[in-house]
Amino acid sequence: MFARRFLVPLLAALVGICAILPASAQQAPEFTGIAGWLNSKPLTMQGLRGKVVLVDFWAYSCINCIRTFPHVTQWYEKYKDKGLVIVGVHAPEFDFERQEGNVRDAIKRYNITYPVALDNDLKTWDAFSNQYWPAEYLIDKNGNIISKRFGEGHYLETENQIRTLLGLPPLQGDEAPSTLGMVGSPEMYFGSDRQEFLASPESGRLGTRDFTAPTRLELNKFALVGAWEIGRENATLVGDHGEIRLHYKAAKLHMVASAVTPTKLEIIVDGKPQPPVTVQGSMLYTLADGADYKDHVVTIKIPKGSFHAFTFTFG
């Protein structure tokens, strides 16, 4: 679970824990400062009175958000004709997520058909006093916020809250078990603004320098090798070739990255070559898709410059 203002507890930061908080009779604020609407004409909270509304804050490179999409899109298809409106408020974490074309591509990639509001300046985010990706606010027909959900999980509980507001009987069953608690690595940023896991002995402050890797890489540390420029949001390979080395504990390894031209990454996990991954567009890429939650050491070899690394995330 991403937290923009870093108030999330460590455990939640590690595993994307879901929390459902009851809401008092608080009126939902209006959509504010929206740069544009996709899949819909502009909507207002006042105009949605009489409908049950689920406001879903997301960012398209957020792995926790991506894992919720199948559930949210299923709710929309099941209940859109029964009085449910879902509004996805796209609240960017990185500058490239402010580009409408990138969001359009993501909507197509994840089969999102419900309305999406582009909250590029986080005005609606602030109006809701939101701090997390993903975050869902369930609003009744009178415009009151009934519940708040942060992070992943509790899908059956949320669906039954929707059904109750629609006047439908609850579904029976158990929540599907989650493996998120088995992930032992937090999100790791490459940019200077939030960089705290760099193990290279060289400075991770803004600027360009040659980086090296330590002989032994501690768990939940990464190292850069080669000539890299550290920016506020990312690290850019400026040499002809470079490497990233990482020691992590998770089954799946993801990276938010981009490249000026298609760049094929060579990926070696625990000494074993993995299928290469080609990076170009600014988005999340899966570098390793395993099944065990043991410690792993990965080496990512990058064959040319103008490659941008933003974050590592895990699953």
Side-chain angles (χ1 to χ4, degrees), residues 34-67:
I34 299 301
W37 288 83
L38 304 177
N39 293 341
S40 173
K41 65 182 182 181
L43 301 174
T44 66
M45 202 62 69
Q46 181 65 37
L48 292 173
R49 290 291 177 86
K51 299 284 188 179
V52 174
V53 181
L54 183 70
V55 174
D56 178 38
F57 286 92
W58 62 290
Y60 82 77
S61 70
C62 162
I63 183 59
N64 305 86
C65 301
I66 291 169
R67 288 194 289 251

Side-chain angles (χ1 to χ4, degrees), residues 86-269:
I86 294 179
V87 178
V89 178
H90 186 267
E93 181 178 19
F94 300 109
D95 283 343
F96 63 78
E97 290 177 312
R98 290 178 168 83
Q99 299 177 24
E100 182 175 319
N102 288 346
V103 183
R104 286 186 180 275
D105 290 343
I107 286 173
K108 182 178 180 180
R109 184 162 60 249
Y110 298 116
N111 299 312
I112 294 172
T113 58
Y114 47 81
V116 172
L118 302 179
D119 190 23
N120 286 350
D121 295 322
L122 303 180
K123 298 296 186 181
T124 296
W125 171 287
D126 288 337
F128 275 79
S129 299
N130 187 49
Q131 298 182 43
Y132 304 104
W133 297 275
E136 292 173 351
Y137 294 78
L138 185 59
I139 300 160
D140 68 13
K141 295 179 181 181
N142 295 317
N144 296 314
I145 297 176
I146 298 302
S147 69
K148 307 173 185 180
R149 182 173 75 86
F150 306 130
E152 303 176 51
H154 290 244
Y155 300 115
L156 180 61
E157 183 174 348
T158 301
E159 183 170 2
N160 277 335
Q161 288 180 322
I162 292 170
R163 291 177 65 88
T164 296
L165 292 180
L166 293 173
L168 301 172
L171 299 174
Q172 302 300 314
D174 298 318
E175 293 282 353
S178 173
T179 58
L180 288 176
M182 300 172 67
V183 175
S185 293
E187 182 179 13
M188 302 178 189
Y189 291 87
F190 286 82
S192 63
D193 280 359
R194 286 177 278 183
Q195 183 193 96
E196 57 180 309
F197 299 102
L198 179 67
S200 294
E202 296 77 21
S203 169
R205 295 191 299 270
L206 291 171
T208 302
R209 57 192 64 89
D210 290 328
F211 286 87
T212 58
T215 303
R216 183 175 182 273
L217 201 57
E218 300 289 341
L219 178 63
N220 293 333
K221 295 290 184 180
F222 70 88
L224 301 172
V225 177
W228 292 80
E229 179 184 1
I230 304 299
R232 295 188 63 182
E233 288 193 344
N234 59 28
T236 299
L237 179 63
V238 296
D240 293 334
H241 56 84
E243 292 184 6
I244 304 172
R245 302 176 189 176
L246 167 69
H247 185 181
Y248 68 99
K249 184 177 182 180
K252 303 178 190 301
L253 169 63
H254 311 284
M255 173 185 274
V256 177
S258 66
V260 173
T261 58
T263 300
K264 184 179 288 188
L265 306 183
E266 181 183 351
I267 302 164
I268 303 168
V269 178

